[in-house]
Amino acid sequence: MSVNTIDAVLLSKMFLAGAKNLEVKKEWINELNVFPVPDGDTGTNMTMTIMSAVKEVNNLQEISMNSLAKAISSGSLRGARGNSGVILSQLLRGFTKSIREVESADAPAIADALVKATETAYKAVMKPKEGTILTVAKGIADKAMELSEEEMPLEDFLKAVLEHGEYVLSQTPEMLPVLKEAGVVDSGGQGLITVCQGAFDAFCGKEIDLNFEQEKSGSEFVKISKETEEEIKFGYCTEFIIMLNNPITEEQEAEFKEYLLSLGDSLVVVADDEIVKVHVHTNDPGLAIQKALTFGALTRMKIDNMREEHQERVIKDAEKVAAQQAAAKKAEPAKEVGFISVSVGDGFAEIFKGLNVDYLIEGGQTMNPSTEDMLNAIEKVNAKNVFVFPNNKNIILAANQAKDLVEDKNIIVIPSKTAPQCVTAMISYDPEASVEDNEAAMNEAITTVATGSITYAVRDTCIDDIEIHKGDIMAVGDHGIIGVGQDIAEVSAKAIEAMLTEDSSLISIYYGEDFSEEDASAFGDEIADKYPDCDVEVNCGGQPIYYCIISVE
């Protein structure tokens, strides 16, 4: 029997299936990055955004259209990462705002929700660009509205809308020459279509694995009854949370899981940028804990002797201590101005601290902080006015989204696209001037900084008529490729030459973790000799992926 409306339970399945399809295909979507740099992250950002909503949906006790809409909207909004993730969260926000008004959705209701989704997303982007995820969303909404009044089974309606969305996606290279030249469709648009494809499969009744390993919570861990005690091979149910010193890489996570499996079974490891939650049944909890301590401090430790059903708390609750510390800090009088900066690399962290930045959010090109990360940072800075520096064009939307959610502080987002822009902006800060005057001065300061980032190509491509081959060294400037070659110093010199103007007076070189201090110093001396009218500074940035980041001002 055909289904002509979608109720809350079915919509929940469709949403989860869409999220699952995105999770499975995220790496493929990452590879659609126009620039062949080793940091394509559209798929990752969209996946982490939607997974935040998945967590909220899976925590629902009862599913109604209203509760489902609220979970999807709130979860995706706070979990939004990167421009593509923020736009996805706004699409979901608009869709759910419309759909929550009905008990079950027919074609006209779905069309109305898709139109609302598109309108909401377009409003969130200051300068919408066609040939992107927004274009694909609009194509889907327009087709849905066109077909909504026709008499047809809902499955045929959804199929026709999806197929049109796929067609619009295929046309994105015709709208953005840079996509056509790189031989790819828009990665954000592909992410959106991937979600829609998964949702349509669920509507059609396709069997889909809706288990999201990283979303399992402690309440879902297996409990052992007396009847099975004698069959227990590993006697201690061990659970804890690692508060990471540094984000754990996929390789580290895989090695950690392999080690824990050598100790026992019933393993669950859930990792994000700040914590890792672990559950394992083992006969030697100490070994699991000892290994975990190499990654960071532990909290919420619990070891149950499953054979005796004996529970024992073995460590104080660090979250309670943190809450007490936060409360004590909050009791202090708020200062007038505070600063938050996104930072990647130990060198940049030290530089920002030296410039009196109050709080650093670890993240950058390969690890975009979420709206929730921004909100947490803002909460921790005890100031009436808080300046936020995203330091990446892909983080500005998340910062502005966080700004809109804060009511008790004045948040000023300085739209810095690179770390050197933040350095210059902070140097221009005048503690005697008003917040408004400093905002204007900082916005002006970042426009004086040209930045070039030196990295390597991960595939063959052609951009702006420049042939690029896998393994080439590339310089990516503020508006595109500004140098390609085989040698880091040679390409860096090309980048500087491309950025210099008659008014340039300062060249700053921030070397990364894969470019030695000795080589950076030698390169700095070479540039100082070549451009005697400019001051040349060489600093440790410590950033991954980019051999060096160079600014000219």
Side-chain angles (χ1 to χ4, degrees):
M1 186 172 67
S2 63
V3 177
N4 281 313
T5 60
I6 298 173
D7 63 12
V9 173
L10 178 54
L11 183 61
S12 174
K13 283 184 181 178
M14 292 172 66
F15 171 73
L16 294 174
K20 185 66 176 182
N21 200 37
L22 181 61
E23 181 189 49
V24 169
K25 297 177 180 177
K26 67 179 179 181
E27 292 302 331
W28 169 60
I29 295 170
N30 283 341
E31 292 172 4
L32 295 176
N33 194 20
V34 170
F35 292 113
V37 294
D39 60 7
D41 53 8
T42 298
T44 299
N45 283 335
M46 294 183 77
T47 298
M48 295 184 76
T49 297
I50 209 166
M51 284 303 160
S52 181
V54 166
K55 182 177 180 180
E56 296 293 323
V57 171
N58 282 337
N59 285 338
L60 289 176
Q61 299 299 315
E62 295 183 6
I63 296 179
S64 66
M65 200 66 88
N66 188 61
S67 65
L68 177 64
K70 183 177 179 181
I72 293 174
S73 178
S74 175
S76 61
L77 192 69
R78 299 180 76 87
R81 295 173 186 267
N83 290 346
S84 56
V86 171
I87 293 172
L88 177 61
S89 74
Q90 291 295 326
L91 287 168
L92 292 171
R93 180 187 180 196
F95 183 90
T96 55
K97 187 174 183 179
S98 177
I99 212 75
R100 74 176 61 190
E101 303 298 329
V102 300
E103 290 186 11
S104 61
D106 55 9
I110 293 169
D112 287 342
L114 291 171
V115 169
K116 185 66 175 176
T118 302
E119 291 173 350
T120 304
Y122 266 88
K123 288 177 183 176
V125 180
M126 188 171 295
K127 295 181 180 179
K129 184 183 292 186
E130 296 307 322
T132 66
I133 181 176
L134 292 171
T135 306
V136 177
K138 188 174 187 301
I140 290 173
D142 288 347
K143 191 65 175 180
M145 188 57 68
E146 175 191 329
L147 297 176
S148 63
E149 299 302 327
E150 296 188 15
E151 293 291 333
M152 67 171 65
L154 188 56
E155 181 175 339
D156 293 345
F157 166 79
L158 294 174
K159 182 179 181 182
V161 170
L162 175 58
E163 288 177 346
H164 185 71
E166 291 168 341
Y167 169 74
V168 175
L169 174 66
S170 73
Q171 296 304 298
T172 55
E174 303 302 322
M175 304 174 206
L176 279 178
V178 68
L179 294 176
K180 189 170 186 177
E181 194 173 18
V184 296
V185 296
D186 178 68
S187 55
Q190 182 64 71
L192 177 60
I193 289 296
T194 300
V195 173
C196 293
Q197 288 168 337
F200 180 68
D201 285 343
F203 176 85
C204 295
K206 182 177 178 180
E207 283 294 323
I208 300 169
D209 178 10
L210 296 181
N211 290 316
F212 297 91
E213 188 69 21
Q214 64 268 46
E215 296 305 327
K216 289 183 180 178
S217 66
S219 62
E220 295 167 331
F221 290 151
V222 179
K223 297 300 180 183
I224 307 299
S225 65
K226 288 185 177 180
E227 287 75 19
T228 59
E229 279 181 22
E230 295 179 359
E231 301 173 6
I232 296 172
K233 182 179 179 182
F234 300 101
Y236 294 97
C237 177
T238 306
E239 299 176 23
F240 51 82
I241 291 176
I242 310 171
M243 297 182 293
L244 293 171
N245 293 330
N246 297 294
I248 190 169
T249 66
E250 290 185 4
E251 182 179 355
Q252 288 173 322
E253 183 181 346
E255 291 176 354
F256 186 39
K257 288 179 179 179
E258 185 176 347
Y259 175 78
L260 292 175
L261 281 174
S262 72
L263 301 179
D265 61 11
S266 298
L267 177 66
V268 178
V269 175
V270 183
D272 66 13
D273 294 341
E274 297 179 352
I275 67 170
V276 177
K277 185 161 188 174
V278 176
H279 168 275
V280 65
H281 293 174
T282 177
N283 285 328
D284 197 336
L287 291 176
I289 290 170
Q290 189 174 4
K291 182 69 173 179
L293 284 169
T294 64
F295 295 102
L298 304 186
T299 185
R300 290 194 181 180
M301 297 181 65
K302 183 160 70 74
I303 301 175
D304 293 342
N305 186 327
M306 294 184 291
R307 296 188 178 96
E308 298 179 359
E309 294 187 319
H310 175 69
Q311 298 185 9
E312 180 182 8
R313 299 292 279 183
V314 295
I315 196 170
K316 65 183 178 180
D317 188 345
E319 284 190 351
K320 183 177 179 181
V321 173
Q324 292 171 342
Q325 292 173 341
K329 187 173 182 179
K330 200 168 184 179
E332 299 174 2
K335 60 181 183 177
E336 280 300 314
V337 178
F339 303 95
I340 294 171
S341 173
V342 176
S343 176
V344 59
D346 293 340
F348 274 119
E350 288 303 313
I351 291 169
F352 291 144
K353 288 176 184 175
L355 292 170
N356 297 319
V357 172
D358 296 278
Y359 192 89
L360 299 178
I361 304 173
E362 275 204 59
Q365 189 62 26
T366 57
M367 186 180 65
N368 295 158
S370 67
T371 300
E372 181 79 13
D373 293 331
M374 294 284 181
L375 291 171
N376 289 338
I378 290 168
E379 183 180 354
K380 290 173 183 175
V381 175
N382 190 22
K384 299 174 184 176
N385 304 280
V386 181
F387 286 88
V388 179
F389 298 90
N391 297 343
N392 187 298
K393 66 180 181 181
N394 208 31
I395 302 175
I396 295 172
L397 277 181
N400 282 322
Q401 190 154 276
K403 172 184 175 179
D404 292 340
L405 295 172
V406 176
E407 298 179 352
D408 60 340
K409 298 177 182 178
N410 178 34
I411 309 302
I412 307 99
V413 176
I414 303 298
S416 54
K417 297 179 180 178
T418 65
Q421 286 185 342
C422 177
V423 172
T424 299
M426 284 299 300
I427 290 173
S428 71
Y429 175 72
D430 180 1
E432 301 300 321
S434 68
V435 169
E436 293 75 18
D437 286 346
N438 271 307
E439 179 181 5
M442 288 178 167
N443 280 323
E444 173 64 25
I446 64 176
T447 66
T448 67
V449 183
T451 309
S453 302
I454 316 303
T455 185
Y456 59 93
V458 295
R459 68 171 188 273
D460 295 347
T461 191
C462 179
I463 298 176
D464 296 332
D465 295 326
I466 302 172
E467 290 286 341
I468 301 172
H469 301 284
K470 183 177 180 180
D472 283 352
I473 305 299
M474 297 186 309
V476 183
D478 295 325
H479 305 290
I481 303 296
I482 54 176
V484 177
Q486 303 298 314
D487 180 75
I488 296 173
E490 174 192 336
V491 174
S492 298
K494 287 182 182 178
I496 292 172
E497 184 177 358
M499 292 187 290
L500 276 173
T501 68
E502 292 181 357
D503 299 325
S504 299
S505 59
L506 174 63
I507 300 170
S508 300
I509 300 164
Y510 302 89
Y511 60 91
E513 61 184 19
D514 295 321
F515 195 46
S516 70
E517 180 179 1
E518 181 181 358
D519 289 343
S521 295
F523 176 63
D525 291 340
E526 176 188 325
I527 294 302
D529 290 339
K530 187 174 181 179
Y531 302 105
D533 292 336
C534 290
D535 293 328
V536 178
E537 295 182 353
V538 178
N539 299 288
C540 173
Q543 70 277 359
I545 296 179
Y546 293 96
Y547 298 113
C548 55
I549 295 174
I550 302 168
S551 66
V552 175
E553 52 190 299

